[in-house]
Amino acid sequence: MYKIQNKKVIYKDLHQADYLKTWKLQEKLLQHIISIKLNNKKLSNSKSLLTPNYFLSVSHPHIFTLGKNGNFQNLLITNSKLQEIDAQFIKTNRGGDITYHGPGQIVGYPILDLDNFFNDIHMYMRKLEEVIIKTINHYGIKGERSTGETGVWIDADKPFARKICAIGVKASQWVTMHGFALNLSPNLSYFDYIIPCGIKDKSVTSLEKELERNVDPYEVKKLIKKNFSEIFDFEWI
C-alpha cells in the first residue's frame, strides 16, 4: 500500500450514454490507474505518483447484461423480441448474473484504486450497499441487505421482498469497475424478460413506485454523492 493515499475522486456525469462506450471508458480509466501502479513499483516511495480515482454517473438505453458467471437461461426472450422492445443483450466481465439497465435508472461506476482506501472487496461491496441504503432512507424507505444476495432490498426477509438496487463489480490490481444501478423510475416491465440476478422468488421495484410520486433525479444524484463521499471518506473533484 502506498504511504500517501489519494482521498479525492473525479466525478463525471455522462447523463445518458451507450453501455458499450461507457464500458470502454471504464476500461481505459482502469488501465490508466493500473499503469501508474505498475510504474510506481519501479520507483522509490518519494518518486511514486498518486493514483487517480473516478466515479461515472450515467443512464443507459435499454440493455440486458450478463455477468461472467451468469446463466444465459435467465434471459427469457429471443433475439426478435429484443429487437421488438428496442433492447440489447451482451455478456460483460462484472460479477453477478443478469440485470437490466435502462432510462429511469441512476447507474454509478466507481473506478477506484482500493489501495487509496482499503484492500477488502467484501467491505467495498457492503459500503456500496450502504450508500444506497442511506440514499433511499432519506425518502423514508428502509433499504436492507439480503443474506447471500448482493444489492439493496426492501422487506428482504418477507415473501414480497423486492430489489431496488443491483450491484455487480470487477476488480483488477485492486482497481474497481462496474458498480450499481438504482431503480429511480425505470419501466419495470423490462425486468419481466429476465430472471433478475438469477433470483426467481423475489421481485424488482423502484423508488418512485414505492413512494407513489415523482422524484427529482438530480436530488438523488446529490444524495448519492454526499453519502458516497462520507462512507468512503474522500473529497469530490
Side-chain angles (χ1 to χ4, degrees), residues 59-214:
S59 173
H60 296 303
H62 303 296
I63 188 167
F64 301 103
T65 67
L66 183 68
K68 59 184 179 180
N69 297 319
N71 186 347
F72 179 75
Q73 301 301 316
N74 290 326
L75 177 68
L76 305 177
I77 56 175
T78 61
N79 286 333
S80 60
K81 184 64 177 179
L82 280 169
Q83 293 178 351
E84 181 183 325
I85 63 174
D86 193 27
Q88 291 179 284
F89 168 77
I90 66 166
K91 295 180 181 179
T92 183
N93 62 348
R94 61 165 171 76
D97 205 284
I98 197 167
T99 195
Y100 161 77
H101 293 311
Q105 280 186 336
I106 296 177
V107 179
Y109 295 132
I111 300 96
L112 308 180
D113 180 4
L114 291 184
D115 279 331
N116 287 322
F117 301 92
F118 46 78
N119 298 114
D120 188 328
I121 293 296
H122 178 78
M123 181 188 296
Y124 175 66
M125 301 287 281
R126 303 294 78 79
K127 284 181 176 288
L128 287 183
E129 291 167 344
E130 190 63 25
V131 169
I132 302 303
I133 289 170
K134 287 191 68 175
T135 298
I136 65 176
N137 186 61
H138 174 83
Y139 296 95
I141 296 176
K142 184 182 179 183
E144 299 174 320
R145 296 177 178 88
S146 179
T147 303
E149 297 169 337
T150 301
V152 178
W153 305 77
I154 299 171
D155 295 319
D157 58 349
K158 297 179 181 178
F160 44 89
R162 49 216 183 273
K163 195 171 198 174
I164 196 167
C165 181
I167 295 176
V169 305
K170 176 182 184 292
S172 180
Q173 301 286 329
W174 291 111
V175 182
T176 67
M177 63 180 290
H178 299 294
F180 65 83
L182 173 62
N183 294 331
L184 176 63
S185 59
N187 182 344
L188 294 174
S189 68
Y190 276 79
F191 287 97
D192 295 337
Y193 301 120
I194 61 175
I195 300 175
C197 303
I199 301 170
K200 296 180 179 181
D201 59 345
K202 295 179 181 177
S203 63
V204 178
T205 190
S206 69
L207 191 59
E208 291 195 355
K209 181 178 180 181
E210 295 296 319
L211 294 174
E212 298 183 338
R213 65 176 176 86
N214 294 333

